[in-house]
Amino acid sequence: MILAGDVGGTKALLALYEEGATPRRPRAEARRSSRDARSLEALAGEFLAASGAPQPRRAVFGLAGPVVNNRCETTNLPWVVSGDEMSAALGGAEVLLVNDLEAAGWGIASLGAGDLEFLQRGERVAGNRALISAGTGLGESILFWDGERHRPVASEGGHADFAPNDALEDELLVWLRARYGHVSAERVLSGPGLADLYRFLGATGRGAEPAGVAERFAAAGDPAAFVTEAARDGSCERARLAVGKFVEVYGAEAGNLALTALAIGGVFIGGGIAPRLLEMLRDGRFLRAFHSKGRLEPLLRRVPVAVILDSRTALWGAAALALAAAAPTRAELQAGG
């Protein structure tokens, strides 16, 4: 058996495969709460026990955090995951840990036309690609074109500095710095970041907030989802302003990544937030911010930009690695860092 997993700060997707299967044809699949689990070993053990399957021969897990020497200190979970310890917990299985955006990069090859929503068709050319993904945190990856295929490169670019582009964002940076010290792009482009955007607008007196909304926001189990829904249904001006600014910052950071990677082969927008904001991503704000790079604007207007609609892309990528369907060997991956 082959085990694959995509483990983020909120949820985990796990799947089991027969030898020779394809990534999108698992024998068993499950979604679990990573936030409520004490460890990855516990999550995998529970899944395997429920499936009744034998211990896997090989396992690959995409994890939200930097992976160094097959070990990961997860960014938004209190876990330290070791490939050797996971191997012992899985009865000696070969275990490979990769960054979750690296896994998602491998998963892009499994997507079909119906899994993508293009914001900009651009020009189809061979070249590097980039992946940016806002969810519980902000993930980024560069998909290096080696002349034959795209090889995803792990990155922690979401933790690089947030760069304001207008006076409102200047104020936002100062407000966030007072709360957190260092302000990364993730402090804005994430579920917690969207909730903080709403709080910032309230603290600075921007946007009308109907009676009762403050109490509902404070009591929400997922404040970002509450803000998103209030923006989508038009019930709260402040929520609409927060989501609008979020979309603009998202576009600007995607443009930054496109330039960093020289991603002429396309920019992909993953994560759980983008599919819920499709209407606002389509209205032009995202692309205006994406294009707004001075002399390089003509280049960015030629770059394809697409939202990934399939939430299991990183799972498909972890499975592709585990199944060795379209990926380098483990030794090649580890040699490459």
Side-chain angles (χ1 to χ4, degrees):
M1 297 299 297
I2 303 296
L3 175 62
D6 166 30
V7 184
T10 301
K11 52 85 179 170
L13 301 176
L14 299 166
L16 270 172
Y17 295 84
E18 303 281 359
E19 297 279 353
T22 56
R24 297 184 70 152
R25 293 291 203 132
R27 168 176 159 173
E29 183 182 349
R31 179 187 176 111
R32 297 284 188 269
S33 170
S34 52
R35 183 174 291 168
D36 297 333
R38 68 180 185 275
S39 67
L40 181 57
E41 291 91 337
L43 267 179
E46 176 196 347
F47 172 61
L48 289 169
S51 72
Q55 292 281 27
R57 181 175 66 85
R58 184 186 307 124
V60 173
F61 298 97
L63 299 170
V67 177
V68 179
N69 295 325
N70 218 28
R71 180 179 181 276
C72 179
E73 296 185 26
T74 56
T75 305
N76 292 303
L77 290 169
W79 297 355
V80 176
V81 183
S82 160
D84 290 342
E85 291 176 9
M86 280 300 304
S87 176
L90 294 173
E94 181 183 12
V95 174
L96 176 65
L97 308 179
V98 298
N99 176 264
D100 60 338
L101 264 287
E102 184 180 354
W106 287 113
I108 287 173
S110 297
L111 300 179
D115 299 318
L116 298 170
E117 169 83 15
F118 278 88
L119 303 180
Q120 175 170 283
R121 289 284 174 179
E123 299 176 4
R124 295 192 62 178
V125 297
N128 295 346
R129 292 173 170 177
L131 172 62
I132 184 168
S133 178
T136 305
L138 177 65
E140 299 184 356
S141 177
I142 295 171
L143 283 63
F144 167 68
W145 175 247
D146 69 2
E148 295 182 359
R149 64 180 170 183
H150 289 98
R151 292 177 174 266
V153 178
S155 166
E156 289 299 329
H159 295 279
D161 300 340
F162 166 57
N165 280 296
D166 60 25
L168 178 62
E169 293 173 21
D170 289 341
E171 287 186 51
L172 174 62
L173 174 61
V174 171
W175 188 86
L176 289 169
R177 186 182 290 136
R179 292 172 70 94
Y180 299 112
H182 176 253
V183 182
S184 64
E186 180 174 287
R187 288 294 185 193
V188 182
L189 295 175
S190 61
L194 178 55
D196 271 343
L197 256 173
Y198 186 85
R199 296 183 183 103
F200 160 74
L201 293 173
T204 57
R206 291 179 166 95
E209 182 183 62
V213 170
E215 292 77 9
R216 289 160 55 204
F217 172 75
D222 185 345
F226 176 85
V227 172
T228 299
E229 191 55 37
R232 290 174 61 185
D233 66 20
S235 62
C236 177
E237 181 188 10
R238 184 173 298 162
R240 183 180 58 78
L241 292 176
V243 171
K245 178 50 67 177
F246 182 94
V247 167
E248 290 175 5
V249 175
Y250 209 169
E253 180 64 11
N256 290 342
L257 180 59
L259 293 179
T260 300
L262 191 57
I264 58 173
V267 172
F268 295 86
I269 307 157
I273 294 177
R276 298 199 295 268
L277 298 181
L278 274 178
E279 182 179 348
M280 297 174 187
L281 290 170
R282 293 188 193 110
D283 72 7
R285 282 176 285 192
F286 182 97
L287 285 178
R288 281 195 296 272
F290 180 83
H291 294 150
S292 185
K293 303 299 179 189
R295 291 171 291 174
L296 273 296
E297 179 173 336
L299 172 69
L300 292 179
R301 287 186 176 275
R302 298 195 296 271
V303 172
V305 180
V307 177
I308 296 174
L309 304 178
D310 190 331
S311 63
R312 295 171 293 178
T313 304
L315 178 64
W316 305 147
L321 288 169
L323 293 161
T329 66
R330 180 180 186 224
E332 287 176 327
L333 279 166
Q334 292 180 330

